[in-house]
Amino acid sequence: MDILKEFENWLITTKKKKNGNTMSKSSAYKYARAVHTISEEILKIRAIDDSLFNISSISELEREIKCIKENNDFNIKNDTGRNMYSVALEYYLDFMRNRLLQYLN
């Protein structure tokens, strides 16, 4: 399974909304696509060195996400998307942390 699909499935099975319900498949797909879109767009302007999906180190991923969040192009897109992109990045970071913990256990 590719990491994007794994992330999407993790969102569906793990993330809960404020009302306690699980995330819909549609919402999970949108968040996964948001991370993919941001990774590709920021990579094109060379604000990061590699696709977020190729980074396995949590500390490196945290640095790259911080760099993305400081990028003006990202902030414009994120504001337009009502913070969906920054939330998607935080979800992805949570997913990768969880994935690492499972690997270590």
Side-chain angles (χ1 to χ4, degrees), residues 86-100:
S86 59
V87 170
L89 290 172
E90 288 303 316
Y91 283 165
Y92 185 68
L93 187 55
D94 287 348
F95 160 73
M96 289 300 290
R97 286 178 180 135
N98 183 269
R99 192 172 189 244
L100 179 63

Side-chain angles (χ1 to χ4, degrees), residues 49-52 54-66 93:
D49 296 325
D50 201 356
S51 168
L52 295 177
N54 292 334
I55 300 171
S56 57
S57 163
I58 298 301
S59 60
E60 183 180 349
L61 185 60
E62 288 170 338
R63 279 192 307 273
E64 295 293 6
I65 288 175
K66 183 178 186 272
L93 187 55

